[in-house]
Amino acid sequence: MSETQIHTDIDYSQPRGKQCGHLAVPYSHNLGGWANLRIPLCLIRGGPGPVVLLMAGNHGDEYPGQVAILKLWRELTPEDVMGTLILIPCLNPPASKAATRLSPLDGRNFNRCFPGIPNGTVSEMLAHYLSTVLFPMAEYVIDLHTGGRSMDFLPCAHMHLVPDLKQRVRMLAATEAFLTETAFLYADVAGAGLLPTEAERQGKIVITTEMGGGETVRATIHRQCQAGLHNVLIHCGVVRGKEKTRAEAGLGPARWVQALDRADYRFAPESGLYENCAELGEPVRKGDLLGQVHFIERPDREPIRVEAHADGIVVANRGPSMVGQGDCVACVAHDVDPRELP
Ligand code: CA
């Protein structure tokens, strides 16, 4: 039994229908002693069948997934749905409005708050609610990301290399159903407590993305995110329709790449003005220049090189040009057949 402090007007046991409401997270501020933070939530149930929890806005400044889910909220009816679809277009509305990664209310990175704390900060309370109320209901957990303002990604669906092989095989198929050119096995190099990690630990089929990055979202990225998501929901068996294979969509096989080693993630050795020197998707060899740090106060200083540590392709680049020492500035990934991995 959950000891959550969060209230909702949604009845999760209703056998059929579309309910639009919210989660109310207790949040006291100087002009609102008994206030709450509202997280919009929509539950669409067509009948018995798979339960899919679909979310975006885990980091506020990552918008393509938020747009895609807002559209589904208005478009889908119980007639379109087999089983249950739970939509949370934005997990972190204050961060989304402020265009920030972290919550302006508690300063937390929501994606480091799992499994959460029932009487913690707003981010910790919401993480606890997801971990103890929503994840246990779901078979599939979808969390749509981008690189936000800090990174630019080769648009991709991605996943952890989960140890359970049955779960892994289903996640590989679901990840490929997103129909991105590149599919990416990633590792956690910046702390623990991620949403997907907790959902995976509970045995869920977890589907995540990095749909580009930066504040500008090109129309092609929105289209790719919405079309990929639609195909994934059909793949999960929760939305009616015929799943498209890559071949039917006019695409070649997905290119699987992995960055499972900490060295695959490149960090700024000094603070300064960063120049990206390799394009997303560009092949690089060991020692190639990925980027370099310049010094606006020291024009006489040679820039500091950031090099590829091994052969691979560039899957992520630095977003803002000003970097601080220790900021991630690039990720180099390597071709892999994920079905051959132990
Ligand atoms: Ca993100």
Side-chain angles (χ1 to χ4, degrees):
M1 184 57 202
S2 173
E3 47 195 330
T4 184
Q5 304 298 310
I6 293 178
H7 289 264
T8 184
D9 46 359
I10 301 288
D11 174 7
Y12 295 116
S13 66
Q14 206 177 81
R16 193 169 192 282
K18 179 173 181 175
Q19 302 176 63
C20 299
H22 57 260
L23 306 176
V25 188
Y27 172 61
S28 224
H29 54 97
N30 283 330
L31 298 177
W34 295 353
N36 54 78
L37 170 68
R38 302 276 170 102
I39 314 290
L41 185 150
C42 177
L43 183 143
I44 309 170
R45 180 167 287 146
V51 178
V52 176
L53 173 61
L54 171 56
M55 302 165 287
N58 176 330
H59 294 132
D61 60 351
E62 304 180 0
Y63 297 105
Q66 299 179 47
V67 171
I69 302 175
L70 286 167
K71 291 171 91 165
L72 292 176
W73 178 304
R74 295 189 303 278
E75 286 164 12
L76 289 178
T77 67
E79 287 69 44
D80 301 316
V81 171
M82 300 175 288
T84 304
L85 186 55
I86 301 171
L87 305 175
I88 303 181
C90 184
L91 287 161
N92 201 339
S96 182
K97 290 178 201 164
T100 57
R101 178 178 182 82
L102 309 180
S103 168
L105 302 188
D106 60 13
R108 295 299 309 273
N109 176 351
F110 186 60
N111 212 23
R112 298 293 181 277
C113 290
F114 285 78
I117 303 172
N119 59 351
T121 69
V122 283
S123 299
E124 291 162 347
M125 279 190 273
L126 183 60
H128 175 264
Y129 188 87
L130 293 180
S131 300
T132 59
V133 180
L134 295 181
F135 291 175
M137 287 183 211
E139 179 178 350
Y140 293 89
V141 171
I142 307 175
D143 187 23
L144 301 173
H145 284 249
T146 80
R149 291 192 301 172
S150 64
M151 297 292 284
D152 192 14
F153 273 88
L154 194 61
C156 59
H158 69 353
M159 58 178 267
H160 287 125
L161 193 67
V162 292
D164 183 302
L165 287 180
K166 273 175 79 178
Q167 181 187 20
R168 188 194 294 178
V169 164
R170 292 185 65 197
M171 282 174 58
L172 290 169
T175 300
E176 288 175 353
F178 219 97
L179 302 175
T180 53
E181 204 71 17
T182 308
F184 176 32
L185 293 172
Y186 73 103
D188 298 344
V189 293
L194 282 75
L195 182 158
T197 307
E198 172 59 20
E200 286 155 9
R201 195 192 60 76
Q202 295 187 24
K204 308 304 168 184
I205 306 307
V206 180
I207 303 147
T208 52
T209 63
E210 296 291 359
M211 298 307 299
E215 291 212 77
T216 305
V217 182
R218 285 176 290 124
T220 50
I221 295 273
H222 280 303
R223 276 188 225 126
Q224 195 179 4
C225 184
Q226 290 163 27
L229 178 58
H230 185 239
N231 202 52
V232 163
L233 294 175
I234 295 171
H235 173 88
C236 299
V238 75
V239 164
R240 290 178 200 281
K242 187 181 174 313
E243 183 184 353
K244 269 205 192 88
T245 63
R246 293 187 58 83
E248 285 161 359
L251 305 167
R255 181 179 188 179
W256 275 97
V257 296
Q258 58 85 8
L260 298 173
D261 196 79
R262 188 175 165 83
D264 295 327
Y265 301 81
R266 312 304 290 164
F267 300 92
E270 286 192 55
S271 303
L273 170 54
Y274 187 75
E275 174 191 5
N276 283 315
C277 296
E279 271 307 333
L280 294 178
E282 196 174 315
V284 290
R285 307 298 299 267
K286 179 178 177 175
D288 280 357
L289 186 65
L290 298 172
Q292 49 191 355
V293 183
H294 299 269
F295 306 97
I296 55 171
E297 294 171 345
R298 289 287 308 278
D300 59 301
R301 263 192 84 184
E302 284 297 318
I304 303 281
R305 291 168 60 89
V306 177
E307 296 179 351
H309 64 300
D311 298 356
I313 69 160
V314 179
V315 295
N317 263 331
R318 173 71 183 169
S321 292
M322 295 312 296
V323 291
Q325 184 183 51
D327 285 344
C328 185
V329 289
C331 177
V332 176
H334 318 281
D335 286 305
V336 67
D337 179 349
R339 291 171 175 90
E340 296 290 303
L341 292 174

